[in-house]
Amino acid sequence: MDENNTRPDSEQTTAQKTQESVDNGQSENTGKTKKRSGFTSKVGFVLAAAGSAVGLGNIWRFPYLAAKYGGGIFLLTYIALAITFGFVLMVAEIALGRKTGASAINAFKKLNKKWAFLGVLCAIIPIIILPYYSVIGGWVGKYFITFLSGNGHAAAGDNYFNNFIASPWQPLLFFAIFITIAFVIVLFGVEKGVEKTSKILMPALVILTIGVTIYTLTMPGSWEGVKYYLLPDFKKFSIKTVLGALGQLFYSMSLAMGIMITYGSYMKKENKIESSVHQIEVFDTGIAMLSGLMIIPAAYAFSGGSPETLGQGPGLMFVALPKVFDTFGAVGGGILGALFFALVFFAALTSAISLMETVVSIVMDKFKLSRKISSVITYVGTLLLGIPSSLGFGVWSAVSIKGMTILDMFDFLSNSVLMPIVALLTCVFIGFVVRCQTLTDEIELNGRFRWKKFFNVMIKYICPLCIAIILVTSLLDVFGVFNI
Ligand code: TRP
């Protein structure tokens, strides 16, 4: 074990260099306007990191995956992974960021030149996620406008959603509007204002979600949904459940793509990493679970007991919720729906801005361009990359692998292929190249790391091994070598 070794020399010099660069206020071009010592308090750090983590992943993606992969068994798998893999990886990334004082692209390089490629690999992921994330953001925008303009009743109709995503222009238009708003905010550097507003709107979203959930649970049939969602049926367990849960874990907690490394680089040395991670995880998982509890019982309540919508995939939220709002009548439902989708829109926007910032800073670093030009390149690139994802539900629906639409393919590529690879390599890098102690020393700067032994064993052996098995199996499955 590496706990009793002394620090390797190379690592000490790196630490010194890092310290110098922090002292000089040298910017890593992470795209943030903050200085490295950005977060003055632990609460500030936790809220900012949780703010980045909470987004469409929690509200839109988690419920539909839970519905698709067997309800309770998915939930159980997810929670088990969150307190083991999720905890360990988030601690590792934040510690890596704080130790090096650098964003992902430089953090790996600083500790070992040969591993610079891992920073680059991290950088590819937000470039893939941002376009399709914005397509979904556009759908949310469309639903907001629909409810606002008094067409909520139509949105509750059975084919409304499918007709909308299959039409060629509308989803593209809303996608373009969504990404343009994010772009304008990033271009004019007014993210701070958005962040402040979201600190009020996010709690409002949580309260509204609780309200809608309680209301839905008074409807006949909804408790069947609660049972499906909360009681694990072990017969439904398969390696796909684990892969789905693992990809969702990375996505939802913004792990395995360098985001938490950047956040860690802003964290003060006095603040405790371990307890911060617990808080971020509780926050993120709590909101995801709550969203599931709102959406899945709603799908049951309107299906007479056999909710075909459960396997619906990305559309679940858009199909299930309008029916709930519709029960409030034209005016009440209109207001409620508009409010709900406005709040979700905001949550999506803050995440998209954060993703865009990341991509802009990568373009700036890579091509040594100004922030303005990099923002324009990112914007145009995202627009172009998003088009296939959007059209994949209509004109280009013939393009599919194993039933996956183009959007699903991007989603699969980032969450189920690249993120596991990055996570795996990060574990190997920490466990065998820089050694766990480098990070556990950083974590223990202010108090004991209670899960140190667990952390070491997980990082070195269990995480890389399990991730490798899951990854290989799922790839073999997709490429048709065998079916799982
Ligand atoms: N975690 C975000 C969500 O749940 C999505 C996301 C993934 C993200 N990576 C990110 C957001 C990076 C901001 C930055 O929706």
Side-chain angles (χ1 to χ4, degrees):
M1 283 300 219
D2 32 38
E3 284 124 84
N4 35 26
N5 292 345
T6 48
R7 242 178 215 202
D9 288 341
S10 62
E11 189 261 308
Q12 242 162 20
T13 48
T14 315
Q16 281 158 5
K17 269 191 240 139
T18 309
Q19 199 48 50
E20 278 162 27
S21 75
V22 171
D23 291 344
N24 297 341
Q26 180 187 316
S27 154
E28 295 294 338
N29 272 347
T30 52
K32 305 267 170 179
T33 39
K34 289 177 195 120
K35 290 259 151 52
R36 279 285 157 204
S37 55
F39 300 113
T40 42
S41 67
K42 189 178 148 207
V43 182
F45 172 76
V46 169
L47 284 181
S52 157
V54 174
L56 288 176
N58 309 62
I59 306 157
W60 155 76
R61 201 170 187 276
F62 183 87
Y64 96 67
L65 287 187
K68 183 171 154 194
Y69 289 113
I73 191 68
F74 180 84
L75 196 63
L76 190 68
T77 312
Y78 185 85
I79 293 173
L81 288 175
I83 55 183
T84 52
F85 287 52
F87 170 73
V88 164
L89 273 170
M90 193 180 285
V91 165
E93 288 198 15
I94 292 178
L96 199 62
R98 193 172 75 173
K99 166 140 205 90
T100 55
S103 59
I105 254 199
N106 295 315
F108 293 104
K109 192 157 69 185
K110 268 192 172 162
L111 292 177
N112 187 317
K113 281 233 156 55
K114 283 200 196 113
W115 283 73
F117 77 93
L118 192 47
V120 178
L121 210 54
C122 279
I124 298 173
I125 298 170
I127 298 177
I128 298 176
I129 293 184
L130 179 61
Y132 84 80
Y133 197 89
S134 305
V135 170
I136 313 288
W139 296 355
V140 176
K142 155 80 183 175
Y143 272 66
F144 166 64
I145 299 287
T146 303
F147 278 92
L148 195 68
S149 58
N151 291 320
H153 181 66
D158 275 341
N159 285 321
Y160 186 84
F161 176 76
N162 285 333
N163 288 343
F164 161 61
I165 55 167
S167 65
W169 291 110
Q170 269 213 34
L172 278 182
L173 178 70
F174 280 98
F175 154 64
I177 293 172
F178 182 87
I179 191 69
T180 305
I181 296 174
F183 166 65
V184 169
I185 292 167
V186 169
L187 190 68
F188 291 107
V190 290
E191 307 89 316
K192 277 272 165 58
V194 178
E195 252 170 54
K196 279 212 186 91
T197 323
S198 83
K199 290 214 169 90
I200 305 163
L201 296 185
M202 290 297 280
L205 176 61
V206 175
I207 293 168
L208 187 62
T209 305
I210 296 175
V212 174
T213 308
I214 295 174
Y215 171 75
T216 310
L217 296 184
T218 62
M219 291 181 176
S222 61
W223 282 85
E224 278 306 306
V226 177
K227 269 198 222 148
Y228 177 78
Y229 182 54
L230 294 182
L231 299 179
D233 175 355
F234 289 92
K235 283 198 294 293
K236 292 198 180 119
F237 182 83
S238 78
I239 190 130
K240 279 202 172 141
T241 323
V242 186
L243 180 73
L246 192 70
Q248 172 62 14
L249 181 76
F250 294 149
Y251 185 86
S252 184
M253 297 196 184
S254 314
L255 291 173
M257 53 186 287
I259 293 292
M260 286 298 155
I261 299 181
T262 306
Y263 272 93
S265 73
Y266 292 118
M267 189 191 201
K268 283 211 159 169
K269 298 275 181 195
E270 301 87 88
N271 294 337
K272 289 201 168 116
I273 294 180
E274 190 180 3
S275 58
S276 303
V277 170
H278 285 310
Q279 287 164 10
I280 300 167
E281 281 206 296
V282 168
F283 224 80
D284 190 71
T285 311
I287 294 186
M289 284 178 63
L290 184 63
S291 305
L293 195 59
M294 165 175 68
I295 291 171
I296 295 178
Y300 267 84
F302 292 95
S303 67
S306 62
E308 283 144 29
T309 41
L310 283 194
Q312 154 98 32
L316 183 61
M317 172 175 101
F318 300 94
V319 173
L321 289 181
K323 293 189 199 294
V324 178
F325 300 141
D326 194 38
T327 62
F328 285 87
V331 178
I335 295 173
L336 201 61
L339 184 64
F340 178 82
F341 283 105
L343 294 175
V344 176
F345 189 82
F346 225 85
L349 193 63
T350 50
S351 283
I353 290 168
S354 163
L355 277 162
M356 196 167 202
E357 285 268 355
T358 314
V359 179
V360 168
S361 70
I362 292 164
V363 177
M364 274 166 78
D365 277 359
K366 188 88 200 126
F367 302 106
K368 307 267 171 291
L369 292 169
S370 75
R371 201 180 142 78
K372 273 220 162 72
I373 296 180
S374 308
S375 306
V376 174
I377 293 176
T378 306
Y379 172 60
V380 175
T382 307
L383 263 180
L384 293 177
L385 276 176
I387 291 173
S389 288
S390 184
L391 292 182
F393 291 96
V395 199
W396 290 355
S397 59
V399 186
S400 81
I401 300 179
K402 278 216 145 192
M404 287 194 276
T405 61
I406 300 178
L407 188 143
D408 288 330
M409 283 187 233
F410 279 118
D411 189 86
F412 182 82
L413 179 65
S414 60
N415 302 339
S416 303
V417 182
L418 292 175
M419 283 166 145
I421 293 177
V422 169
L424 175 78
L425 291 174
T426 306
C427 290
V428 173
F429 177 70
I430 293 168
F432 298 95
V433 181
V434 298
R435 302 273 157 177
C436 295
Q437 203 194 348
T438 312
L439 291 195
T440 48
D441 282 354
E442 177 71 32
I443 297 158
E444 291 199 312
L445 280 181
N446 40 32
R448 204 164 78 85
F449 179 20
R450 285 196 299 147
W451 292 89
K452 185 156 128 183
K453 283 239 160 67
F454 175 75
F455 178 85
N456 290 344
V457 175
M458 285 292 289
I459 285 275
K460 286 182 83 164
Y461 308 108
I462 303 181
C463 289
L465 203 68
C466 293
I467 295 173
I469 295 172
I470 296 167
L471 184 67
V472 171
T473 333
S474 75
L475 285 179
L476 291 180
D477 174 56
V478 166
F479 292 108
V481 179
F482 68 85
N483 280 319
I484 50 176

